[in-house]
Amino acid sequence: MSDKSFQLNDIVEMKKPHPCGNNRWKIIRMGMDIRIKCQGCGHSVLIPRRTFTRKLKKVLETDSE
């Protein structure tokens, strides 16, 4: 498996884009489930961690604070 390390407030790209046409998601909550928010329309989605790691394509931006 490739390097798919992600953390809170990272901007990620998923394998399939959101129906609004955007494919930039911000991780806003982490735990057993991961909540991501679409950067285009503001819709948030709760995904189990295992499913999220499978559907994650790459990390676009990291929160460097």
Side-chain angles (χ1 to χ4, degrees):
M1 191 167 170
S2 63
D3 181 30
K4 291 185 180 179
S5 60
F6 49 86
Q7 44 188 327
L8 195 62
N9 295 324
D10 283 355
I11 305 292
V12 297
E13 182 178 342
M14 303 302 280
K15 288 185 180 174
K16 291 187 178 178
H18 192 247
C20 75
N22 202 344
N23 199 358
R24 290 176 57 87
W25 299 85
K26 182 175 185 175
I27 301 174
I28 57 174
R29 193 184 123 221
M30 289 182 66
M32 285 300 291
D33 297 322
I34 294 178
R35 184 169 292 275
I36 55 177
K37 186 174 187 177
C38 179
Q39 296 296 286
C41 64
H43 186 252
S44 69
V45 180
L46 185 68
I47 304 174
R49 183 181 283 265
R50 182 174 176 161
T51 307
F52 177 80
T53 55
R54 224 178 310 128
K55 293 184 177 182
L56 176 67
K57 190 172 185 181
K58 64 182 172 180
V59 177
L60 298 174
E61 300 173 21
T62 58
D63 184 33
S64 57
E65 284 187 322

